[in-house]
């Protein structure tokens, strides 16, 4: 009945020998837009692929006032700036 924290997800992934998505840290909305516009490179292999985009959430986590208390998240994709 609740969302796991990033730390909990990381612990579960480690126990299962799985990778978790890269954490870019805290950024403002303008910093996020600039980052995605820069066509950042991926982290998980050496092919130099461009990331598809990022999924962002607030810190601390803000939730919609609904029965399910869904977290407020948003995606921004590199292709949004072509």
């Amino acid at each position: 009945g609740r969302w796991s924290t990033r730390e909990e997800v990381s612990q579960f992934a480690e126990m299962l020998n799985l990778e978790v998505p890269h954490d870019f840290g805290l950024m403002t909305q303008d910093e996020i837009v600039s980052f995605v516009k820069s066509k950042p490179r991926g982290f998980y292999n050496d092919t130099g692929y461009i990331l598809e985009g990022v999924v962002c959430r607030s810190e601390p986590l803000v939730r919609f006032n609904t029965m399910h208390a869904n977290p407020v998240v948003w995606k921004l994709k590199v292709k949004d700036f072509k």
Side-chain angles (χ1 to χ4, degrees):
R2 71 174 183 83
W3 288 78
S4 296
T5 64
R6 180 159 182 92
E7 293 77 25
E8 290 170 334
V9 170
S10 295
Q11 289 172 354
F12 294 139
E14 186 177 329
M15 289 188 306
L16 298 170
N17 199 30
L18 299 172
E19 292 181 3
V20 294
H22 186 77
D23 184 349
F24 295 104
L26 295 174
M27 293 187 207
T28 66
Q29 183 174 336
D30 289 339
E31 289 171 328
I32 294 164
V33 170
S34 293
F35 176 72
V36 173
K37 281 182 172 181
S38 75
K39 298 181 180 178
R41 301 290 174 176
F43 295 91
Y44 297 106
N45 63 38
D46 57 1
T47 62
Y49 66 95
I50 295 174
L51 293 180
E52 180 180 345
V54 295
V55 177
C56 306
R57 68 176 181 86
S58 63
E59 181 63 41
L61 186 62
V62 175
R63 298 178 184 278
F64 285 112
N65 190 15
T66 64
M67 286 179 50
H68 303 292
N70 294 323
V72 175
V73 296
W74 58 283
K75 281 195 288 191
L76 191 59
K77 295 184 177 186
V78 170
K79 73 177 186 178
D80 295 336
F81 297 101
K82 286 187 176 183

